[in-house]
Amino acid sequence: MNEVILYKETPIPGRWKQFWGKFRRNKGALSGFIFLCFMVLMAVFSPLIAPFDPAEQFTEYLRTPPAWYENGINHFIFGTDDLGRDLLSRVIHGSRLSLGLSATVVIIAASLGILLGAIAGLLRGTLEFIILRFMDVILAIPSLLLAIVIVAIMGPGLPNAVYAVAIVLIPHFVRIVRAAIKEEMSKDYVIAARLDGASPIRLFTHSIFPNILPPLIIQLTLAFSTALVDIAALGFLGLGAQPPNPEWGTILSQSRDFIQLAPWTVTIPGLAILLTVMSINLMGDGLRDALDPKDHRE
Amino acid sequence: MIRIILRQLSIFASSLLGIIFIFFLLTQLIPGDPVVLNYGNLTPGSFEYERAAESLGVNQSFFDQFYLYLKRVLSGDFGYSLITNRSVLDEFLTFFPATLELSIFASLIALILGVSLGVFAAVRKGTWLDNLVMSSSLVGYSMPIFWWGMLLILFFSLDLGWAPVAGRISYVYDIEPVTGFMLIDSLYAYPKYEFAAFYNALSHLVLPAFVLATVPLAAIARMTRSSMIEVLNADYILTAKAKGVSDTKIIWVHGLRNALIPMVTIIGLQSSVLLTGAILTETIFAWPGIGKWMVEAIFRRDFPTIQGGVLLIAFFVVLINASVDFLYAVINPRMRRPK
């Protein structure tokens, strides 16, 4: 018999596989991620999932309590509000507004922030100084207050609320990108690319950017949860989405007057905000642990 | 020491100038006639209109207008409310103590509870108690406080009847605002009834202060824990243990003192979070502070009040941040380099 020699292959997992392996072991982060996926799916397919139209009124069923109450009916699982609108449908449709708007905010803030941060980090001098001072000023004004000022100037309404929250979030991106660029610039691989004659733009997009992705991803999740809460807060103050839009914060401000008559119209939309923000934060914690190269202790 | 003070002062001054400049830019962006926006409905061509236009420098160049604006702001003139006709600075000073009282009380709750919970979790790292503290801090950290406030009102005020729903004190009491702080003013107001007014004011304060404290409390607890865990692994703690120092002394003296140093700046950053939260908390609890004042000004389209009020609040935040940086430099021995 010929002896068969087996060589076992030792697989070295790739960057993504390593990251996923670490992320998956964090139960909190994984459950946050799954819940968020569920919410995103709900937002995308909300017209198909929601049993009713969010504005449809059932005038015989004003303030019907949720199904688990004694006098609740299964027709309206989360009950109805003071105008007889199905709360479940409103919350499902609201996920589209709340998540979609926060995503828009984060995309605007991140692209402007990365651009300004890259300019400040790569082209030093006066321009860097001006950008940084400007960002310091934005940071000095409490975020919601700045958003309120911007809304006050441009008038209440959804698009203005989106711009306002986006402007508030820009400085954090600028700071992170600039600090990361400063740190990477002195490293050997960047010097090598520079000696090859890479232009500042190519240097940023090809050498530096892929290496500053981890802190950026963490900042993205942080910004996402801040955006969600701030947009809901503006809606609650009556400065963001206007009724009858089923944005979660706006629903809360509408049901505030009926807190004693119909407490479920307050608890359920708020719970939706809390759970979504919590899942984003859980995911952010997991990402931080999984992406941090220094963290081998735990 | 003098160098530290001078550096902080220059940063403070340049931030103030930057804020004033950006606010000036923002006021240029407001659509409409600047004279009408600042001084109300004056008929163009009238004597008052011309005088108002002159004081704003409407017909002058951009830089002259900024110079006039700067001069007005630095001399303490933040404009006049279109609704009440009072100076914005006066109005700010009447509403500000209420917000300050709420914020100070909230930060005390957040600091004391947050630091103790953080230390507690760090010492019992990995146990179910640690997990409990960490998961509840995650909930607190993610809490939309306007909803949290409504829930607490629903439970404590409406169901249990333990706390009042809104305001700073019952209408039974007529308190003369001497210091503007209700807790202090109510102490002396009705000597005949001992502390009845004081207890009433306190019962109005507890719920909103706790709501406002929630997010900073959770943030401080999380940061104390991680900072404390790092410090407890340091060599000097091992040295202290080897010397036979008691556990309590190691945790509270050697550990916490060093763990708190990096946290001073982070606690300072919470002042901005607190003021943001104050806007929402005051709206829910009908607390007559600057947050409620600002929101009402927006709905009344009272532009001088919005402009002047936010400028004053921004000044206050910059002042707090500068003092925190200064404090950090003073208490951290590593910042004091011999030279």
Side-chain angles (χ1 to χ4, degrees):
Chain A
M1 281 292 279
N2 281 340
E3 206 177 325
V4 180
I5 304 169
L6 279 174
Y7 290 103
K8 269 194 182 157
E9 194 186 3
T10 43
I12 297 170
R15 205 171 155 181
W16 287 105
K17 222 172 179 177
Q18 261 183 16
F19 159 73
W20 178 245
K22 263 190 192 170
F23 185 79
R24 206 178 43 183
R25 259 176 281 139
N26 187 336
K27 274 185 206 125
L30 195 67
S31 48
F33 178 65
I34 291 171
F35 185 79
L36 197 68
C37 287
F38 170 72
M39 289 307 266
V40 169
L41 283 179
M42 192 169 95
V44 171
F45 297 108
S46 53
L48 300 175
I49 301 170
F52 304 102
D53 187 85
E56 194 179 351
Q57 286 177 275
F58 300 91
T59 38
E60 288 112 87
Y61 297 100
L62 299 185
R63 290 196 288 272
T64 308
W68 55 88
Y69 276 55
E70 243 171 60
N71 46 353
I73 51 174
N74 285 334
H75 203 53
F76 305 109
I77 296 172
F78 283 175
T80 59
D81 64 7
D82 57 300
L83 296 174
R85 295 174 295 194
D86 179 43
L87 199 60
L88 177 66
S89 310
R90 285 182 74 70
V91 170
I92 290 177
H93 275 274
S95 70
R96 198 167 227 202
L97 275 175
S98 295
L99 289 174
L101 290 175
S102 335
T104 320
V105 163
V106 172
I107 290 169
I108 297 175
S111 33
L112 280 175
I114 292 169
L115 186 72
L116 286 174
I119 292 174
L122 292 173
L123 313 171
R124 300 177 185 181
T126 330
L127 204 57
E128 182 191 17
F129 180 79
I130 293 173
I131 292 176
L132 286 183
R133 284 283 86 167
F134 199 79
M135 294 303 135
D136 278 353
V137 171
I138 295 183
L139 279 178
I141 306 170
S143 67
L144 194 60
L145 202 66
L146 184 63
I148 285 179
V149 177
I150 295 168
V151 170
I153 290 172
M154 304 198 292
L158 258 187
N160 294 347
V162 169
Y163 300 141
V165 179
I167 290 175
V168 169
L169 290 174
I170 290 175
H172 299 282
F173 284 103
V174 174
R175 283 192 157 191
I176 281 183
V177 170
R178 183 184 151 270
I181 287 178
K182 282 249 150 106
E183 201 189 314
E184 299 293 317
M185 270 307 237
S186 55
K187 290 192 180 162
D188 289 344
Y189 75 94
V190 177
I191 295 172
R194 237 152 110 193
L195 288 174
D196 278 349
S199 69
I201 294 173
R202 198 190 152 78
L203 205 61
F204 179 68
T205 53
H206 283 72
S207 308
I208 299 177
F209 191 70
N211 286 295
I212 61 172
L213 264 179
L216 212 55
I217 291 175
I218 292 163
Q219 180 55 38
L220 278 174
T221 57
L222 264 178
F224 193 38
S225 70
T226 317
L228 200 81
V229 175
D230 279 3
I231 284 184
L234 281 177
F236 176 74
L237 290 174
L239 301 168
Q242 300 295 316
N245 264 329
E247 197 270 320
W248 291 339
T250 315
I251 301 181
L252 276 179
S253 79
Q254 292 285 293
S255 43
R256 204 179 138 201
D257 302 335
F258 305 98
I259 186 169
Q260 224 168 345
L261 283 170
W264 59 89
T265 57
V266 170
T267 43
I268 290 169
L271 208 60
I273 303 177
L274 174 66
L275 288 178
T276 314
V277 175
M278 228 167 82
S279 64
I280 298 171
N281 285 342
L282 268 173
M283 211 179 83
D285 284 356
L287 283 176
R288 188 169 318 159
D289 291 344
L291 289 172
D292 190 2
K294 280 174 283 178
D295 202 51
H296 292 302
R297 279 165 292 167
E298 284 173 288
Chain B
M1 193 67 173
I2 293 168
R3 264 187 50 208
I4 296 175
I5 294 176
L6 281 180
R7 223 192 67 211
Q8 287 305 328
L9 273 181
S10 69
I11 293 178
F12 180 60
S14 63
S15 310
L16 281 194
L17 203 66
I19 287 177
I20 297 175
F21 183 65
I22 286 180
F23 265 79
F24 175 69
L25 280 182
L26 282 177
T27 58
Q28 303 279 314
L29 288 178
I30 300 178
D33 184 352
V35 178
V36 175
L37 287 176
N38 279 291
Y39 290 98
N41 258 327
L42 303 172
T43 8
S46 69
F47 176 63
E48 290 98 337
Y49 185 91
E50 293 305 325
R51 274 201 56 185
E54 196 183 319
S55 77
L56 289 171
V58 175
N59 300 321
Q60 295 173 31
S61 74
F62 179 80
F63 288 102
D64 285 336
Q65 284 191 44
F66 176 59
Y67 176 70
L68 280 174
Y69 183 71
L70 192 66
K71 221 162 75 177
R72 267 193 304 149
V73 167
L74 291 183
S75 66
D77 176 9
F78 290 87
Y80 289 85
S81 160
L82 294 183
I83 310 293
T84 59
N85 262 329
R86 286 175 64 202
S87 109
V88 173
L89 187 63
D90 276 353
E91 293 223 310
F92 177 81
L93 291 176
T94 28
F95 289 113
F96 190 55
T99 303
L100 206 57
E101 186 175 38
L102 183 66
S103 309
I104 290 174
F105 211 72
S107 11
L108 283 180
I109 296 177
L111 263 181
I112 295 170
L113 273 179
V115 169
S116 354
L117 283 177
V119 171
F120 181 76
V123 173
R124 287 179 174 62
K125 191 186 150 199
T127 64
W128 65 273
L129 280 166
D130 175 31
N131 289 334
L132 183 72
V133 171
M134 285 328 282
S135 38
S136 28
S137 83
L138 179 82
V139 178
Y141 192 69
S142 316
M143 190 64 87
I145 63 165
F146 44 99
W147 179 64
W148 182 227
M150 288 201 280
L151 278 194
L152 292 186
I153 289 180
L154 189 66
F155 187 65
F156 287 108
S157 306
L158 300 177
D159 284 358
L160 295 175
W162 286 358
V165 179
R168 293 179 83 185
I169 196 160
S170 161
Y171 288 115
V172 175
Y173 304 99
D174 183 23
I175 307 280
E176 185 80 18
V178 183
T179 55
F181 294 99
M182 196 52 90
L183 285 183
I184 299 172
D185 288 344
S186 62
L187 263 182
Y188 302 102
Y190 291 88
K192 220 166 78 189
Y193 301 101
E194 297 187 323
F195 294 127
F198 174 75
Y199 288 134
N200 192 282
L202 194 64
S203 73
H204 278 81
L205 182 58
V206 171
L207 214 51
F210 183 69
V211 167
L212 184 52
T214 305
V215 174
L217 194 162
I220 289 173
R222 281 162 68 108
M223 286 178 300
T224 313
R225 178 182 174 271
S226 61
S227 176
M228 192 73 183
I229 286 175
E230 209 164 284
V231 167
L232 287 181
N233 283 327
D235 289 341
Y236 53 80
I237 296 292
L238 201 66
T239 316
K241 264 188 197 152
K243 271 168 40 187
V245 181
S246 74
D247 277 357
T248 340
K249 209 176 165 196
I250 285 181
I251 291 167
W252 294 103
V253 180
H254 297 245
L256 187 62
R257 261 186 76 179
N258 288 299
L260 279 185
I261 289 174
M263 280 184 56
V264 170
T265 33
I266 300 165
I267 291 171
L269 281 180
Q270 297 293 319
S271 70
S272 178
V273 177
L274 267 180
L275 278 172
T276 300
I279 300 171
L280 294 164
T281 315
E282 286 172 7
T283 311
I284 302 163
F285 288 92
W287 190 265
I290 46 170
K292 195 161 170 287
W293 174 55
M294 283 281 93
V295 174
E296 274 168 10
I298 289 174
F299 285 116
R300 293 161 165 178
R301 314 235 118 219
D302 187 352
F303 281 108
T305 305
I306 302 169
Q307 228 183 83
V310 177
L311 195 54
L312 282 163
I313 294 169
F315 281 2
F316 180 70
V317 174
V318 174
L319 184 70
I320 295 272
N321 288 347
S323 354
V324 166
D325 284 348
F326 176 68
L327 195 71
Y328 179 72
V330 172
I331 63 164
N332 190 354
R334 282 171 212 146
M335 291 280 281
R336 276 185 253 131
R337 275 191 221 104
K339 204 181 179 184

